[in-house]
Amino acid sequence: MAKLPDAPDPTLVAVDQAIVKANTASNRTYLGASELGHACSRRLWMKWRWVSVEHFDAVTLRRFHDGFAGEDLMAERLKAVDGIRLVVEGPDERQWAVTAVGEHVQGHLDGAILGIHQAPKTWHVWEHKQVSEKNWRALKRKKDDFGEKSALEAWNETYFVQAQLYMGLTGMKRHYMTITTPGGRDITSVRTDFQAKAFDRAIEKAEEIVAAQTAPPRISEDPEFFLCKWCHLNKNCHGDTTAAVNCRTCAHSTPVTGGDKGVWWCELHDKKLTLKEQRKGCTKHLFIPELIPWAHVHLKDQLNNQIHYRTDAGNEFVNAEHNAWEKTPKHFASKDLQHITAYNIDNDDVFFQHMAKFSPSITKVVKGKGKKEELPFNDPWPT
């Protein structure tokens, strides 16, 4: 008889539960320079548009915490060296920050360092990474194969783009990265020079993502592709999960890159949106059509603030300001549509009829006012 696994330590289970509870998941307000080098622009756009919150389990959070502790430890080790000046905070006693593209792109440096023995008179952007033993050994091989100055680009494109952005946005021309295994046991480093063309490409990519009113193309049409399979947005991109309701998933919102910084504008209400308003959304919210991945745009009705859809099975429904589940086609406010799939539209007609009958307070029939305009099947909401 096979031996049964040992029962988990209830105290450690409680520790993990406390870790998760103490680290409430939330979306960044900006497009992070630390991840702009990711190969999938669609993923970056959807994260920045708050399509879905990424939740981390206790194991991942413990790894993050270990990485933060490793960074602090490495900073102490560097500061202990005579002649090295490591600055990890700006004049406001906060982490050094850089911005671009109307402050919709932001990054936070681990520090700036002067006095490293390889180039003691040159300021370097300092970044620290704590990685697995496998990845640490891979970097050592890249240094042997490509030389130190080309190793970072060959080893990790995301880290390389982050380095170029931090150099380009601070004016420093050198980057010094220290890399350790968990706990800071093994240490190596890599220096990288500023590359203007790589920096320009990164800024251009950021500008394209910020300006895009519809989602960039998928990196693969196969949901099992390795970058897609483990992405927390897989079901929003390839599957049947509708985006969350907030101003950034609404067809009426636009990021502003000129004038005030980090601004989002509501075209419908003709106003600047506060961060609180962005997170909440409003009753006039209509999804950017691609964020309902299981349906296709059929009609638009801008005067009545509606978008009409068809499922693959040919059933129609409307994203509208108010629920009207007894109508044909059924109308859904975004706050309810975010929880609905094609299966519900195609199979749950009786359920919606009963809900409309017994819950009249959450439905409202709105009579049409304007002319509906035919669109080609699959066309996005016009911008």
Side-chain angles (χ1 to χ4, degrees):
M1 181 178 177
K3 182 182 178 181
L4 295 175
D6 295 333
D9 181 335
T11 301
L12 296 184
V13 170
V15 166
D16 279 352
Q17 291 172 342
I19 290 173
V20 172
K21 184 177 180 180
N23 290 270
T24 305
S26 63
N27 286 308
R28 276 181 172 174
T29 59
Y30 54 86
L31 181 60
S34 61
E35 57 184 354
L36 194 58
H38 192 281
C40 183
S41 292
R42 187 181 180 95
R43 177 182 185 271
L44 294 171
W45 184 88
M46 293 179 82
K47 284 189 68 175
W48 178 62
R49 286 279 182 164
W50 297 348
V51 167
S52 178
V53 176
E54 185 171 11
H55 295 274
F56 298 105
D57 59 18
V59 173
T60 303
L61 291 169
R62 281 191 265 119
R63 188 166 65 247
F64 290 163
H65 296 165
D66 189 39
F68 300 147
E71 179 187 323
D72 293 339
L73 176 61
M74 193 67 228
E76 292 176 7
R77 289 170 172 172
L78 289 167
K79 289 177 179 179
V81 177
D82 289 339
I84 283 184
R85 182 184 177 192
L86 176 61
V87 183
V88 297
E89 293 178 343
D92 58 356
E93 298 184 349
R94 301 175 66 180
Q95 193 174 14
W96 287 105
V98 292
T99 65
V101 195
E103 292 191 5
H104 291 292
V105 174
Q106 297 184 29
H108 299 84
L109 285 67
D110 290 340
I113 191 167
L114 179 68
I116 66 171
H117 290 186
Q118 301 93 315
K121 296 182 179 181
T122 304
W123 278 101
H124 290 64
V125 173
W126 174 64
E127 283 293 307
H128 179 73
K129 304 296 182 185
Q130 188 156 286
V131 301
S132 67
E133 287 87 350
K134 179 181 178 181
N135 283 335
W136 189 87
R137 291 192 298 270
L139 173 58
K140 295 276 284 184
R141 290 193 296 271
K142 296 299 184 184
K143 289 173 68 175
D144 292 339
D145 294 342
F146 297 93
E148 181 183 15
K149 292 297 184 71
S150 300
L152 183 60
E153 183 177 10
W155 178 55
N156 190 300
E157 179 70 13
T158 300
Y159 293 166
F160 172 75
V161 171
Q162 180 185 17
Q164 295 301 324
L165 284 168
Y166 286 176
M167 284 187 281
L169 295 173
T170 60
M172 286 182 270
K173 303 300 183 183
R174 299 290 184 270
H175 185 274
Y176 180 62
M177 180 181 287
T178 51
I179 306 96
T180 62
T181 56
R185 292 186 294 273
D186 299 308
I187 309 174
T188 189
S189 67
V190 61
R191 285 197 304 147
T192 307
D193 293 340
F194 177 64
Q195 298 179 23
K197 290 183 178 179
F199 171 75
D200 290 343
R201 286 196 301 270
I203 292 296
E204 183 179 355
K205 178 180 179 179
E207 290 172 341
E208 290 174 351
I209 291 172
V210 170
Q213 289 298 305
T214 58
R218 296 183 180 90
I219 193 169
S220 172
E221 293 303 316
D222 180 6
E224 293 297 310
F225 179 64
F226 77 101
L227 285 178
C228 301
K229 184 175 183 179
W230 306 112
C231 179
H232 78 284
L233 292 160
N234 183 291
K235 291 183 178 179
N236 296 103
C237 182
H238 291 279
D240 61 356
T241 300
T242 305
V245 171
N246 57 71
C247 286
R248 296 197 184 186
T249 61
C250 180
H252 300 305
S253 68
T254 304
V256 180
T257 55
D260 292 336
K261 305 301 184 181
V263 169
W264 285 78
W265 191 265
C266 177
E267 306 291 350
L268 189 66
H269 295 292
D270 194 26
K271 60 174 285 189
K272 181 169 70 174
L273 296 163
T274 67
L275 188 58
K276 183 178 180 181
E277 288 171 330
Q278 290 175 44
R279 294 190 185 282
K280 184 178 181 181
C282 76
T283 58
K284 295 185 180 296
H285 179 285
L286 296 183
F287 282 110
I288 297 170
E290 287 178 291
L291 300 184
I292 306 176
W294 44 270
H296 314 279
V297 174
H298 171 48
L299 297 167
K300 72 169 184 178
D301 184 358
Q302 283 185 287
L303 290 178
N304 287 313
N305 193 35
Q306 297 176 356
I307 304 178
H308 294 231
Y309 292 86
R310 285 185 180 135
T311 66
D312 286 341
N315 292 304
E316 296 184 19
F317 67 95
V318 182
N319 185 190
E321 295 179 16
H322 305 280
N323 288 325
W325 295 345
E326 73 281 11
K327 294 187 69 174
T328 303
K330 296 175 179 62
H331 289 46
F332 296 93
S334 292
K335 66 181 179 64
D336 293 308
L337 188 56
Q338 67 183 324
H339 304 298
I340 291 171
T341 67
Y343 179 87
N344 303 126
I345 301 296
D346 295 336
N347 297 281
D348 291 343
D349 187 64
V350 173
F351 167 78
F352 288 122
Q353 288 178 5
H354 284 293
M355 285 298 293
K357 186 179 300 183
F358 293 107
S359 301
S361 62
I362 62 171
T363 65
K364 182 177 179 180
V365 178
V366 181
K367 294 183 179 180
K369 302 175 184 176
K371 183 179 179 182
K372 298 173 183 175
E373 179 182 341
E374 284 281 355
L375 289 178
F377 200 71
N378 281 331
D379 238 25
W381 179 265
T383 58

